[in-house]
Amino acid sequence: AQSVAQPEDQVNVAEGNPLTVKCTYSVSGNPYLFWYVQYPNRGLQFLLKYITGDNLVKGSYGFEAEFNKSQTSFHLKKPSALVSDSALYFCAVRGGPTLGRLYFGRGTQLTVWP
Amino acid sequence: ETGVTQSPTHLIKTRGQQVTLRCSSQSGHNTVSWYQQALGQGPQFIFQYYREEENGRGNFPPRFSGLQFPNYSSELNVNALELDDSALYLCASSPTSGGGHETQYFGPGTRLLVL
C-alpha cells in the first residue's frame, strides 16, 4: 500500500537558519514524490516534485528536496528560512496501481521566528 | 494562482441534507481530482474524473458522487450529509490522468460545515 509519513507535526527555526521538513514514503514500483504548501484558509500550492533523474530537486521560493531511495525519504530543505515560509507543508506520493491518486502525509507546521 | 476555481468558498448545511460543490479546471486540463481535508489531517482522495468518466475512487461511500462536464468543469455531490463530512473540499486539475508524474494543481477549496 502507498503511504507517506511526516514524523514531525511542528518544526521551528530562526529566520536565516537552514530548515528541513522530513518525509518518508512507502510505494510499490517507482515513486513520484511531491511537496505542497498550504497557507491558512487557502488551497495547496505546488512546490516541487521528483520523477526521475537527479536526486536533488529544486523548486519554487528557494526550496529543494533530496530523494534518497535507500532510505525511502524525500526531505524538503531550504538554506535560509524566511518568516514568510511559515505555513503547513505536505509531502505526497503517487504510484502503484492507481497512478492518478496522491497519498498525503498529515502535514508539518513550519514556524520561522524572527 | 493556479487558475483552478471552486465555489462556494464556505457552506453550512444540516445533517441529512445534500450539497453540490463546483470546480473549474485550469485551462487545458482534462483531469480533475477531489480530495477531502478534515481538520488537522492531510487531504484524502475521493475520486478522479478523466474525460467525463470516473477514473479511480478512494475509500468513500457511494453518497459521494461526481460529474465532469465537456468543458472539464466538475461537481462533487454529497447526499445524506453527516457531521463527519465537515471538512475542506479541494479539487485539483492536471493535464492528463496517465503516467503519474503530472502535477495536480489545487483550487482554494470549499469549507463545508455540517450542523
Side-chain angles (χ1 to χ4, degrees):
Chain A
Q2 281 61 245
S3 66
V4 168
Q6 294 182 241
E8 300 159 318
D9 290 336
Q10 288 201 343
V11 170
N12 299 306
V13 298
E15 187 174 33
N17 283 0
L19 69 86
T20 299
V21 182
K22 296 180 180 178
C23 170
T24 59
Y25 67 90
S26 173
V27 67
S28 56
N30 293 323
Y32 301 119
L33 295 154
F34 301 79
W35 275 101
Y36 287 86
V37 59
Q38 186 174 38
Y39 294 96
N41 301 313
R42 301 285 295 276
L44 303 180
Q45 293 182 28
F46 169 72
L47 281 179
L48 51 79
K49 66 181 178 183
Y50 172 82
I51 304 301
T52 186
D54 194 348
N55 290 342
L56 185 64
V57 179
K58 294 188 181 298
S60 306
Y61 313 118
F63 284 94
E64 57 191 27
E66 186 169 11
F67 171 67
N68 187 316
K69 187 174 183 178
S70 63
Q71 298 185 3
T72 62
S73 67
F74 188 55
H75 301 331
L76 181 70
K77 300 181 180 185
K78 188 174 183 181
S80 178
L82 299 173
V83 172
S84 57
D85 293 330
S86 299
L88 187 57
Y89 290 80
F90 288 98
C91 181
V93 67
R94 183 190 281 158
T98 311
L99 286 178
R101 170 178 183 168
L102 282 170
Y103 295 82
F104 284 88
R106 290 172 54 96
T108 298
Q109 179 65 48
L110 172 68
T111 301
V112 181
W113 40 277
Chain B
E1 298 298 326
T2 63
V4 180
T5 60
Q6 292 185 244
S7 61
T9 55
H10 295 82
L11 203 53
I12 301 175
K13 291 286 188 179
T14 56
R15 195 170 46 183
Q17 284 188 313
Q18 179 266 343
V19 69
T20 297
L21 310 182
R22 294 178 174 83
C23 173
S24 178
S25 297
Q26 187 166 317
S27 177
H29 289 185
N30 58 17
T31 301
V32 65
S33 304
W34 286 91
Y35 293 81
Q36 180 195 65
Q37 186 181 11
L39 201 61
Q41 303 291 322
Q44 297 291 315
F45 177 76
I46 304 175
F47 44 56
Q48 183 183 80
Y49 278 80
Y50 171 64
R51 293 186 174 179
E52 305 176 56
E53 298 285 332
E54 188 178 291
N55 188 41
R57 189 177 184 93
N59 189 27
F60 281 82
R63 60 189 184 85
F64 285 78
S65 63
L67 282 173
Q68 187 183 31
F69 300 100
N71 66 354
Y72 303 133
S73 65
S74 175
E75 286 183 355
L76 164 65
N77 298 290
V78 187
N79 293 324
L81 283 167
E82 300 177 0
L83 298 180
D84 285 349
D85 295 333
S86 296
L88 180 67
Y89 288 85
L90 297 163
C91 83
S93 73
S94 55
T96 66
S97 70
H101 56 81
E102 295 87 2
T103 300
Q104 293 187 2
Y105 294 93
F106 285 80
T110 293
R111 188 163 296 282
L112 173 65
L113 176 61
V114 182
L115 301 176

